[in-house]
Amino acid sequence: MECDIAIIGGGPAGLAAAIYAARADLKTILLEKALIGGQVALTMDVANYPGFPENIDGPTLADRMKVQAERFGAEILTAEALGLKQDGEGYVIQLAKEELRTTVVIIATGSDPRMLGVPGEEELRGRGVSYCGTCDAPFFRNKKVVVVGGGDAALKEALHIAKFASTVDLMHRRDALRGEKIYQKQIMEHEKIKVCWNTIVTKINGKKAVTSVTTQDTQTGQSGETITDGVFIFVGTKPNTGIVKDLLPDSEGQHIKTETDMMTSLPGLFAVGDLREGSYRQIATGVGEGVTAAMAAEHYIANLRARE
């Protein structure tokens, strides 16, 4: 199987790249191993994507991007990229049953949530421990919930969770929140949300399900316990760079460095979206990066063909 541009990852950045690449009349294949739309497909209320003043739900936005890409001729496959290597001036992507040869690769594999790494977290994952309020908040209707974090994700998810939970204890290791001011204001004014300053979770307790968390004051060192039915953790993300670990060894576990046109240090290999160093990790910026990469890839391929 061959193409001009292969895109690994079907989130907004990857889908935007597919739209522009296919529209440029380049044979475009997008590989997504799981859910088209990525994290956006798990977001029920997108309020800051331009053009939708009335808001739009994530699954609908993702599906519209997918349909648009296919309308221009992009082929979207449910498949996992198992390996990636250079092949002359192009690349070979190893799939489960075959290889995909391509001139350009655009990596758009996003990121996964970081874990706290405390006792009880792994054991109680899915039994009260969650990393997605949009997915799991309805399971905690009229229950007590702890949210860990202080950035945009933690604040937005806490506000969403508060629509269902009876109380939300927002635990932040510092004495000031880091998220956007508009979310901070909403948090501080919300009757269900209590901010626990200078507080870290050191253990998640429970046998069959979460029953409480053990906490520690970062200033005094004093320990405490908070009774809760659930723990939602939003302490950052880890970029999914495994596919390029052999090609870009310095990027393993790190965000990928690119030029302004989204090309990495290797010719014909681009990186966009949440896994790229310097990305603002917003839907709109991911889309912009995908567009930039596709247009740069078009020029890159044209220059290669001009030399033939």
Side-chain angles (χ1 to χ4, degrees):
M1 187 164 54
E2 297 183 355
C3 65
D4 298 313
I5 297 180
I7 301 163
I8 304 176
L15 289 168
I19 291 170
Y20 270 71
R23 192 169 182 268
D25 201 25
L26 295 167
K27 182 172 176 55
T28 303
I29 294 178
L30 183 149
L31 306 172
E32 171 54 57
K33 67 177 182 179
L35 187 64
I36 286 292
Q39 293 184 29
V40 172
L42 302 175
T43 303
M44 290 300 107
D45 192 19
V46 177
N48 57 357
Y49 190 72
F52 297 93
E54 73 287 359
N55 297 359
I56 184 172
D57 65 90
T60 298
L61 181 60
D63 185 64
R64 289 186 181 184
M65 291 182 180
K66 173 179 179 290
V67 171
Q68 190 174 10
E70 290 176 327
R71 180 167 68 88
F72 286 123
E75 186 177 357
I76 298 178
L77 303 178
T78 301
E80 181 178 4
L82 301 174
L84 175 63
K85 61 183 180 181
Q86 288 182 291
D87 180 38
E89 292 186 320
Y91 293 87
V92 175
I93 300 172
Q94 184 63 52
L95 305 179
K97 297 182 179 180
E98 60 183 320
E99 292 182 337
L100 172 59
R101 296 182 178 275
T102 180
T103 305
V104 163
V105 176
I106 299 176
I107 307 294
T109 47
S111 58
D112 288 331
R114 290 190 183 276
M115 299 178 67
L116 283 180
V118 300
E121 180 180 10
E122 184 65 37
E123 295 86 346
L124 293 169
R125 187 169 185 169
R127 292 187 289 165
V129 173
S130 174
Y131 305 86
C132 180
T134 302
C135 315
D136 297 331
F139 297 115
F140 294 87
R141 191 180 300 274
N142 299 322
K143 294 184 177 181
K144 296 179 180 180
V145 168
V146 164
V147 172
V148 183
D152 279 347
L155 304 192
K156 288 190 289 185
E157 294 282 23
L159 290 167
H160 177 72
I161 293 166
K163 296 177 182 178
F164 302 90
S166 59
T167 63
V168 176
D169 285 337
L170 178 62
M171 298 185 174
H172 183 44
R173 64 168 53 243
R174 299 181 177 87
D175 59 2
L177 298 172
R178 296 178 291 108
E180 290 185 38
K181 296 298 183 183
I182 185 172
Y183 299 129
Q184 291 190 36
K185 185 174 185 293
Q186 293 174 16
I187 288 287
M188 300 308 296
E189 294 177 350
H190 203 291
E191 61 181 7
K192 290 186 180 181
I193 299 176
K194 173 188 174 184
V195 181
C196 304
W197 304 109
N198 304 309
T199 301
I200 60 173
V201 172
T202 58
K203 185 180 180 183
I204 301 174
N205 306 307
K207 293 183 178 180
K208 294 183 178 180
V210 171
T211 56
S212 70
V213 294
T214 302
T215 62
Q216 183 179 64
D217 188 303
T218 59
Q219 294 186 330
T220 67
Q222 183 177 354
S223 295
E225 184 176 11
T226 298
I227 303 300
T228 185
D229 299 296
V231 183
F232 287 81
I233 299 169
F234 307 104
V235 292
T237 57
K238 180 180 179 181
N240 295 319
T241 57
I243 190 66
V244 294
K245 64 180 181 180
D246 294 332
L247 295 177
L248 302 172
D250 292 341
S251 70
E252 188 167 7
Q254 305 295 322
H255 292 89
I256 298 176
K257 295 180 180 180
T258 70
E259 301 295 333
T260 55
D261 64 357
M262 306 300 140
M263 191 182 289
T264 69
S265 58
L266 294 178
L269 180 64
F270 297 78
V272 297
D274 285 9
L275 86 166
R276 190 184 74 84
E277 183 177 287
S279 175
Y280 282 103
R281 298 175 186 86
Q282 299 291 305
I283 301 173
T285 57
V287 166
E289 291 173 19
V291 171
T292 299
M295 296 183 71
E298 179 186 359
H299 290 295
Y300 174 80
I301 291 172
N303 289 334
L304 282 181
R305 291 175 176 172
R307 300 203 320 253
E308 294 177 352

